Amino acid sequence: MRHRAALLSTILAVVAAMLVLPGRASAVVPGFKVDITELPATFTAGAGARTVTVVATSEQNRCQKVRWSMFIEVDGPDLDDVEVARVEDDGDFPVRVENAGNGTARITDVQLDPGQLCRGQTVTARYQIGFDDDADSGRVTFRAQAFNADRTLLQETSSSSQVRGEEEAEESPSPEASPSPSESSPEPEESADDEDAEPEPTSTEAEIAAVPASGNDTGTPSLLGAGLIIGGILVFLGVGLLLRLRMRSRQPQAGNQLPTGFYPAN
């Protein structure tokens, strides 16, 4: 009885898995397209979850319901370090997780997507992907598949991103931590003697300093000013000499004196 019960449980589990998981993806249906429209170039361990968005479009006139399935393959990190959540506008969306081996996990929607894939309309699937703090550096590949309600593969696509481990993130300095040019090469402080000392003249200033002072320089008397002063003194002396000679020429000589009204007695 126990063996029969165990066998029955195994059969029921297999049947449930077949009802939930899509069928074998052996071909794609023309007229459908699947694109990963949002994918971070790098995932950093311990930095929180990032959004991965997949969009399906149709060129067929007949509308279909979609069930999403996502393969996540890691090279470097472990599958246990990957955190995955399928989200919709109203919150988390129920999924079934299957280990596909070789570092690959398969995330499949338990229910059909609430949207409807029609011509001119899209159906979108969003995933929140994160890596634990102790995840190693490596690479992660996403392969998204869109199935219809009959578990027929409509279309698929894949893309990859880098995973940066915690040790690599710590070794890479952030731009804010890099020293600025002023901090890396401080300017030398000027001493008090340097501030009091006069700056050395340049070649142009030295040439100007070597030229003699002009006559307009009030600090040093020029030859022209000295000549004017001496000339003025000579002119003054000349005029005085002429006046003195003129006054002497007006005085009467001793032999030419006129007689007076008195005569001397005999």
Side-chain angles (χ1 to χ4, degrees), residues 68-129:
W68 290 102
S69 184
M70 171 75 80
F71 286 93
I72 301 177
E73 181 181 356
V74 291
D75 183 10
D78 295 332
L79 281 178
D80 295 338
D81 298 330
V82 184
E83 301 174 355
V84 183
R86 168 84 159 87
V87 294
E88 285 289 337
D89 295 336
D90 55 352
D92 293 341
F93 197 78
V95 294
R96 180 183 179 89
V97 181
E98 179 188 10
N99 191 338
N102 297 325
T104 304
R106 185 175 187 178
I107 314 297
T108 305
D109 292 352
V110 174
Q111 304 171 1
L112 295 174
D113 191 278
Q116 193 170 11
L117 184 60
C118 304
R119 185 181 183 91
Q121 297 181 2
T122 61
V123 175
T124 303
R126 294 183 178 87
Y127 300 87
Q128 293 293 326
I129 310 295

Side-chain angles (χ1 to χ4, degrees), residues 164-193:
R164 186 169 62 174
E166 185 179 14
E167 296 180 357
E168 183 179 350
E170 292 178 354
E171 293 176 357
S172 303
S174 61
E176 300 160 347
S178 59
S180 60
S182 58
E183 294 177 354
S184 59
S185 56
E187 297 180 357
E189 298 181 357
E190 296 182 356
S191 61
D193 296 339

Side-chain angles (χ1 to χ4, degrees), residues 38-86:
E38 184 179 3
L39 177 64
T42 303
F43 289 89
T44 302
R50 305 288 299 275
T51 302
V52 177
T53 304
V54 187
V55 177
T57 57
S58 173
E59 296 180 357
Q60 294 187 356
N61 295 325
R62 185 169 64 93
C63 297
Q64 298 198 45
K65 298 293 288 184
V66 174
R67 187 190 305 274
W68 290 102
S69 184
M70 171 75 80
F71 286 93
I72 301 177
E73 181 181 356
V74 291
D75 183 10
D78 295 332
L79 281 178
D80 295 338
D81 298 330
V82 184
E83 301 174 355
V84 183
R86 168 84 159 87

Side-chain angles (χ1 to χ4, degrees), residues 11-264:
I11 295 174
L12 292 176
V14 171
V15 172
M18 292 179 62
L19 293 176
V20 172
L21 295 177
R24 184 176 181 181
S26 58
V28 296
V29 178
F32 295 94
K33 186 178 181 180
V34 174
D35 293 310
I36 299 178
T37 59
E38 184 179 3
L39 177 64
T42 303
F43 289 89
T44 302
R50 305 288 299 275
T51 302
V52 177
T53 304
V54 187
V55 177
T57 57
S58 173
E59 296 180 357
Q60 294 187 356
N61 295 325
R62 185 169 64 93
C63 297
Q64 298 198 45
K65 298 293 288 184
V66 174
R67 187 190 305 274
W68 290 102
S69 184
M70 171 75 80
F71 286 93
I72 301 177
E73 181 181 356
V74 291
D75 183 10
D78 295 332
L79 281 178
D80 295 338
D81 298 330
V82 184
E83 301 174 355
V84 183
R86 168 84 159 87
V87 294
E88 285 289 337
D89 295 336
D90 55 352
D92 293 341
F93 197 78
V95 294
R96 180 183 179 89
V97 181
E98 179 188 10
N99 191 338
N102 297 325
T104 304
R106 185 175 187 178
I107 314 297
T108 305
D109 292 352
V110 174
Q111 304 171 1
L112 295 174
D113 191 278
Q116 193 170 11
L117 184 60
C118 304
R119 185 181 183 91
Q121 297 181 2
T122 61
V123 175
T124 303
R126 294 183 178 87
Y127 300 87
Q128 293 293 326
I129 310 295
F131 289 82
D132 293 340
D133 297 342
D134 54 353
D136 296 331
S137 300
R139 193 171 186 84
V140 56
T141 301
F142 301 95
R143 182 158 62 100
Q145 296 178 332
F147 294 84
N148 62 9
D150 297 332
R151 300 191 300 275
T152 300
L153 177 65
L154 301 178
Q155 191 55 265
E156 65 179 2
T157 186
S158 62
S159 186
S160 301
S161 297
Q162 297 291 333
V163 178
R164 186 169 62 174
E166 185 179 14
E167 296 180 357
E168 183 179 350
E170 292 178 354
E171 293 176 357
S172 303
S174 61
E176 300 160 347
S178 59
S180 60
S182 58
E183 294 177 354
S184 59
S185 56
E187 297 180 357
E189 298 181 357
E190 296 182 356
S191 61
D193 296 339
D194 294 339
E195 296 178 355
D196 297 337
E198 297 182 356
E200 296 181 359
T202 61
S203 59
T204 305
E205 295 174 350
E207 292 173 4
I208 295 175
V211 177
S214 62
N216 296 329
D217 191 355
T218 57
T220 305
S222 63
L223 297 177
L224 179 60
L228 292 175
I229 296 174
I230 295 174
I233 294 174
L234 293 176
V235 171
F236 178 76
L237 294 177
V239 173
L241 181 60
L242 291 175
L243 291 176
R244 186 175 181 182
L245 293 175
R246 186 175 181 183
M247 291 178 63
R248 292 184 63 181
S249 63
R250 288 183 179 181
Q251 292 179 1
Q253 302 294 329
N256 296 328
Q257 293 181 355
L258 296 178
T260 63
F262 299 94
Y263 294 94

